[in-house]
Amino acid sequence: MAIHIVDRRLNPGSKSLENRQRFLRRAKALVQGAVKKSSQERDIKDVLEGGEVSVPIDGMDEPRFRREGGTRDMVLPGNKKFVEGDILPRPNPSGGKGRGAGEGDSEDAFRFVLSREEFVDLFLDDLELPDLAKRKLAEVESQGIRRAGYSTSGSPANISISRTVSRALARRVALRRPSPETLAALEAELETCSEARRVEVLAEIEALKAKIKRIPFIDPIDIRYRRFETVPKPVAQAVMFCLMDVSGSMTEHMKDLAKRFYMLLYVFLKRRYRHVEIVFIRHTDRAEEVDEQTFFHGPASGGTLVSSALQAMHEIVQTRFRPADWNIYAAQASDGDNSYSDGEVTGRLLTDKILPACQFFAYLEVGQEHGLSYEMPNSALWTLYEGLRANGAPLSMRKVNERSEIFPVFHDLFQRRGPQERAAP
Amino acid sequence: MSAPNQLLFQGADWDFHTLQRICDTCEQVARDELGLDVYPNQIEVITAEQMLDAYSSVGMPLFYKHWSFGKHFAFQEASYRKGLMGLAYEIVINSSPCISYLMEENTATMQTLVIAHAAFGHNHFFKNNYLFKQWTDADGILDYLEFAKRYVTHCEERHGRLAVEHTLDAAHALMSHGIDRYPGKKSLDLRAEEKRAGRRRAHEESAFNDLWRTVPGTKVKTGAILDVERRRQLLGLPQENLLYFLEKTAPRLRPWQREILRIVRHIAQYFYPQSQTKVMNEGTATYVHYRIMSRLHQQGRLTDGNFLEFLQSHTNVVFQPEFDDPRYSGFNPYALGFAMMQDIERIVTNPEDEDREWFPDIAGKGDAMAVLRDVWANYRDESFISQFMSPHLMRKFRLFHLHDDPADRSGILVDAIHNERGYRRLRRELSRQYDVGFIDPNIEVVDVDLAGDRRLMLRHTVVKGAQLTEADTKRVLQHLADLWSYDVSLSEVDTSGTVLKEYVAHPRSLAAAA
């Protein structure tokens, strides 16, 4: 009887993928909760990496008829000292097959690994940018075509003749296909050679001719096709302006909060748009556009003029990002201090220049660690923005003191809403 | 085939020629020396990921799609990655040909062990045990699963994923109550089953004529109230196969829903013998691999090093922690089964007086394999233990019996230990732990109120005071009510007839099921 041995290793794996997706769909609410919880504990950079979440197992269990209680009889191995009639104390008062303390975790929840895609998707699933018109544009993407090397299959129209011929030549050389010159030379020799040599030459000519027949000029394996691939061409693009106050009053903690917020915003925009630009602007009493490294880590100090940053942003928008083509977002983080004289300039800049061009403007006021956000007195900036908002400007503002507040605040700001609703302060 | 006394392989590496050689050699031992009778074998080499895949669809190579399989996959993958769980070395499928999966990571020794274990041990058991013969259709199962998969997909396309998922959820919740426990019906023929389903569908389609809707109906006959006995008889009551009952009589199920219940029921039935023979099945396979491996070593086909590697895995597999060991989680079927098989061998070949007294039929008979083959063919765990658990083994395992009565405040009683007085009681109690009739709650459909609100009435016969857990029961009943489309009630009744508890569930949406 022959035994069949089959190698299945090359079979497509992850037959469970479909089932896994069904499971995720089904457990969406649970997994989403877990994702939110786990992202609070993690560094924002890691949010992009996906990873482990733990999901309460009883939310997903499948019910069966089960029994419990009653009198129980069991036979166990390993008796050491008991004799018939012994009475053993019950291990714990709750009776039954209790779980030992400490091992509860593995029973109540199970951890599993989400891919980066799954994680970010779930994390951002119910978020939306508070902008409608241009977002629609962004989703209708056109596909561009670009050259992408050569392939061994394709349509005849795409045959690359030069590539094919050069490969054919290489093959012919490698296989030592006789050239027509060699043949001609031999035939010429045939005319003049001696009788003895003649037989030899004839045989040689025969052999060469046979070889030429065996090794075709072009073999199907030589043929190469030009390959093209489609690339998404961004139709709508997004730019995010990160405006950060780096004046002397901003502590490292405050910067950290701001940084986290920007990161999230970045992840979020990346999801929605193929093409996201980030512009970092930091300001003290004057503003400058900087790279990321400087933005977060470069030392700076000085007074505070918020309007300088807004002015800088306005200039950049005018030169590089036409509001008609770009979805423009701005997130401003500040401790709320502004010089008194700057208030009016800031307000005007915002209402006249910035806000009309922006899809969304978020203002994040960062506070001291261990402070309570609702106990923070309203700062100069806060009061100013509050006024603008009351007049209907598309501004959202939140106060944040602790790292763990970043996610809820972010979530709150970008929660999917009905068309009429606005992010409340 | 390699010449005798020549090494099968050296070191840990293997290739397909080695596998073939291993198979041939194992087969020689299995057939000529152990007298095993097996289905044709098919060995499939797979990766760890594929092994996880196979796990999550209850070990079958193909299965319909359902979220719970995804859940199991996620769960197993997580514990595998964490290192909580090693993967099983093999999965073996009760089909003809009998398919065994081997993982590519295994060493050559492990592959030999797995082939001996699965392709010969399990395979022989599947082919010869009476329960498998009676209840499973090894030739038809793979085709049937293929059909089930296609059918479920087809339903999803036609009726929507959610509707199908809902039906499957409900069917899964009742799966352990979708089994015919007693023979009497003819055994499954899944191929014919699949054909019948196709014909049913074709007939429904051809017989559908929208005009019938317009024919004026006759007045529904009233007053003809069947007497209770007759009604029950017509409905086949009492009925403990809930899925079967629903499939046949649920008034508002659509034909495709009935077919899905039927599929789930057939699959439950297919797995039923496996749940009744865990100890025997693993015991057989372990005993067979132990015999084959020892023989190969004896013949000089395995090096001492490889044999030691084998012994280490083997010892791990048959390790039985004692009750006070933190690793203890019940009896290890491999350990118990293997110990019993070895014990039978001892009794047959080298009995003591005690064994002669306890096992007069087999003690000293001499041919251990003949006795074992007979045992493998004719018992299930419960009857196997109650017949063949010997005092010798009870002493070796140092078994004791605890009786835990919650009413007894003072504590748990040690009712019997491994001594002259205790042997029989221990054996009876242990075999009871493996009695499926005892493990699953006994729930039956007892009546349908056809004249009234069509309420479906179920009864749970409470044994030893163990009642159903409330939360689970409510959810299962909800599923049941959704399928039945009318109210469902369940009463828990103890042996004296007192009703301990009643549940009622209302269907969630009549319109959805109609």
Side-chain angles (χ1 to χ4, degrees), chain B residues 76-96:
Chain B
Q76 262 140 5
E77 189 191 29
S79 41
Y80 175 54
R81 292 207 175 163
K82 252 167 124 181
L84 282 182
M85 172 186 86
L87 287 177
Y89 298 123
E90 39 85 30
I91 283 185
V92 51
I93 294 162
N94 168 24
S95 62
S96 175

Side-chain angles (χ1 to χ4, degrees), chain A residues 4 15 66 75 80 84 111, chain B residues 61 78 322 421 433 472:
Chain A
H4 237 66
K15 270 195 290 187
R66 265 191 280 267
V75 175
K80 283 158 195 90
E84 191 183 330
R111 302 183 72 81
Chain B
E322 301 192 332
R421 274 166 56 81
Q433 283 182 14
D472 265 338

Side-chain angles (χ1 to χ4, degrees), chain B residues 315-371:
Chain B
T315 319
N316 286 339
V317 165
V318 299
F319 173 67
Q320 175 64 60
E322 301 192 332
F323 80 101
D324 49 359
D325 190 309
R327 289 166 293 181
Y328 179 78
S329 62
F331 269 101
N332 170 0
Y334 293 84
L336 185 60
F338 180 65
M340 287 188 67
M341 301 306 167
Q342 276 206 314
D343 197 47
I344 292 174
E345 182 190 328
R346 182 189 62 80
I347 294 167
V348 173
T349 52
N350 188 18
E352 287 160 19
D353 287 345
E354 181 188 54
D355 301 311
R356 284 185 214 283
E357 184 193 318
W358 277 65
F359 304 101
D361 290 346
I362 60 167
K365 240 183 141 192
D367 186 354
M369 278 317 298
V371 172

Side-chain angles (χ1 to χ4, degrees), chain B residues 17-224:
Chain B
H17 292 295
T18 321
L19 283 189
Q20 191 70 53
R21 213 159 47 233
I22 293 171
C23 285
D24 292 342
T25 319
C26 286
E27 186 179 354
Q28 226 175 4
V29 180
R31 202 183 43 212
D32 301 344
E33 298 185 19
L34 306 182
L36 300 186
D37 165 33
V38 294
Y39 289 125
N41 270 305
Q42 179 162 330
I43 310 272
E44 306 199 351
V45 179
I46 61 174
T47 61
E49 191 203 359
Q50 286 170 320
M51 186 61 104
L52 276 168
D53 269 348
Y55 264 33
S56 48
S57 53
V58 284
M60 301 309 279
L62 39 102
F63 224 68
Y64 53 81
K65 306 277 181 220
H66 190 257
W67 63 269
S68 65
F69 307 136
K71 182 184 94 173
H72 288 132
F73 182 79
F75 185 58
Q76 262 140 5
E77 189 191 29
S79 41
Y80 175 54
R81 292 207 175 163
K82 252 167 124 181
L84 282 182
M85 172 186 86
L87 287 177
Y89 298 123
E90 39 85 30
I91 283 185
V92 51
I93 294 162
N94 168 24
S95 62
S96 175
C98 176
I99 300 175
S100 316
Y101 291 144
L102 310 189
M103 275 212 295
E104 63 171 350
E105 286 90 340
N106 292 348
T107 62
T109 312
M110 288 309 296
Q111 303 294 30
T112 318
L113 163 62
V114 168
I115 288 169
H117 181 92
F120 296 98
H122 282 305
N123 190 346
H124 172 86
F125 194 78
F126 288 147
K127 189 172 177 192
N128 292 284
N129 183 265
Y130 79 106
L131 279 174
F132 288 87
K133 280 185 168 173
Q134 201 162 52
W135 289 119
T136 65
D137 174 12
D139 289 313
I141 182 66
L142 293 180
D143 288 339
Y144 189 71
L145 288 177
E146 173 66 34
F147 152 75
K149 186 178 169 187
R150 256 186 295 119
Y151 190 82
V152 170
T153 316
H154 173 80
C155 287
E156 284 176 350
E157 283 161 9
R158 280 197 153 190
H159 312 288
R161 202 176 50 77
L162 271 181
V164 175
E165 185 173 292
H166 200 82
T167 310
L168 274 176
D169 283 352
H172 285 179
L174 297 167
M175 201 163 179
S176 51
H177 297 269
I179 295 162
D180 288 321
R181 282 168 213 281
Y182 307 102
K185 298 217 171 72
K186 62 176 167 36
S187 63
L188 280 179
D189 179 355
L190 294 172
R191 257 182 240 275
E193 187 61 42
E194 178 195 337
K195 288 207 188 81
R196 259 207 304 281
R199 278 208 301 275
R200 257 200 306 277
R201 211 163 49 242
H203 174 75
E204 274 155 24
E205 275 164 16
S206 66
F208 176 78
N209 186 340
D210 204 37
L211 272 182
W212 282 111
R213 218 171 23 82
T214 63
V215 175
T218 49
K219 237 183 140 190
V220 180
K221 279 183 208 150
T222 53

Side-chain angles (χ1 to χ4, degrees), chain A residues 139-151:
Chain A
E139 279 165 358
V140 188
E141 280 204 331
S142 74
Q143 302 279 316
I145 289 181
R146 74 167 178 221
R147 291 287 302 271
Y150 297 91
S151 74

